[in-house]
Amino acid sequence: MDINVSKSAESYLAELLAKQNVEGIAVRLFVTQPGTPYAETCLAYCRPDEVNPEDEIYDLELLRFYIEKNSIRYLEEATIDFAEDRMGGQLTIKAPNAKVPKVSSDSPLDEQINYVLYADINPGLAAHGGEVKLVELVDAEQGQVAVLKFGGGCQGCSAVDLTLKDGVEKTLMERVPGLAGVRDVTDHTETTNAYYK
């Protein structure tokens, strides 16, 4: 299992478990709605009587994780960290494969494109309240072209051409072998939520 739990997160979680006063209590790690844009990575207490025999066990020095079987591939390369601050601290879970499972060069082109969009491109666009999604793949003379649609703060944004050419298209063309081009079908005359008008 390729999950990285920082020492600070391990200590923090172990302290939370100790406060429960339940012998053998552990942490369950799972993804709700895995493989969709709505995927959420979750942690929950797992009492000994709640253990599912199909769970994968991931033992650390101070605690044990039970990882839900259906979530395993979506949790590859996940990181769990705890950063202390004046208010106590912040536990963060990053699971880059939760929305789209990790793909390889053998994966279908649409899966490769969605992986790059959800893991690399959309987190950056989210800072401006934007997103981009794959509408379809079309056959063109030069090969497969990704038809994309921008939403949120990107729709109608005056900087969308720059975002498309220098950001999205460049990244997709570098990361997805076999992709011949990118086309935007967003109606950019609608500027209600545009980040830059």
Side-chain angles (χ1 to χ4, degrees), residues 29-43:
L29 179 61
F30 59 98
V31 179
T32 60
Q33 299 185 46
T36 73
Y38 311 104
E40 293 286 333
T41 307
C42 304
L43 291 174

Side-chain angles (χ1 to χ4, degrees), residues 126-161:
H128 294 175
E131 67 172 358
V132 63
K133 61 185 169 187
L134 177 66
V135 176
E136 64 179 335
L137 275 172
V138 294
D139 289 318
E141 210 175 287
Q142 69 273 30
Q144 297 260 282
V145 173
V147 178
L148 304 177
K149 186 172 185 179
F150 287 88
C154 292
Q155 183 175 4
C157 179
S158 61
V160 77
D161 287 340

Side-chain angles (χ1 to χ4, degrees), residues 7-163:
K7 278 292 181 192
S8 59
E10 182 179 355
S11 297
Y12 174 73
L13 291 169
E15 285 176 32
L16 290 178
L17 293 177
K19 290 177 184 175
Q20 300 308 303
N21 275 334
V22 175
E23 183 70 33
I25 194 167
V27 176
R28 167 164 275 111
L29 179 61
F30 59 98
V31 179
T32 60
Q33 299 185 46
T36 73
Y38 311 104
E40 293 286 333
T41 307
C42 304
L43 291 174
Y45 294 118
C46 183
R47 298 173 183 276
D49 60 334
E50 298 170 329
V51 173
N52 182 330
E54 292 187 351
D55 287 344
E56 183 167 314
I57 296 170
Y58 182 62
D59 281 324
L60 297 175
E61 184 181 337
L62 303 176
L63 69 136
R64 170 174 279 184
F65 282 92
Y66 288 101
I67 300 170
E68 183 184 67
K69 180 184 175 189
N70 293 338
S71 298
I72 292 171
R73 71 188 200 128
Y74 298 96
L75 291 167
E76 287 296 322
E77 300 178 2
T79 60
I80 302 173
D81 190 24
F82 180 75
E84 286 190 50
D85 60 28
R86 290 189 316 244
M87 305 300 285
Q90 172 93 24
L91 184 70
T92 56
I93 308 168
K94 293 182 182 173
N97 301 305
K99 295 182 186 326
V100 182
K102 190 167 183 174
V103 295
S104 69
S105 58
D106 298 340
S107 299
L109 208 56
D110 61 332
E111 287 184 16
Q112 293 180 56
I113 292 166
N114 278 324
Y115 180 78
V116 174
L117 290 177
Y118 287 110
D120 297 334
I121 294 172
N122 278 335
L125 296 179
H128 294 175
E131 67 172 358
V132 63
K133 61 185 169 187
L134 177 66
V135 176
E136 64 179 335
L137 275 172
V138 294
D139 289 318
E141 210 175 287
Q142 69 273 30
Q144 297 260 282
V145 173
V147 178
L148 304 177
K149 186 172 185 179
F150 287 88
C154 292
Q155 183 175 4
C157 179
S158 61
V160 77
D161 287 340
L162 185 63
T163 301

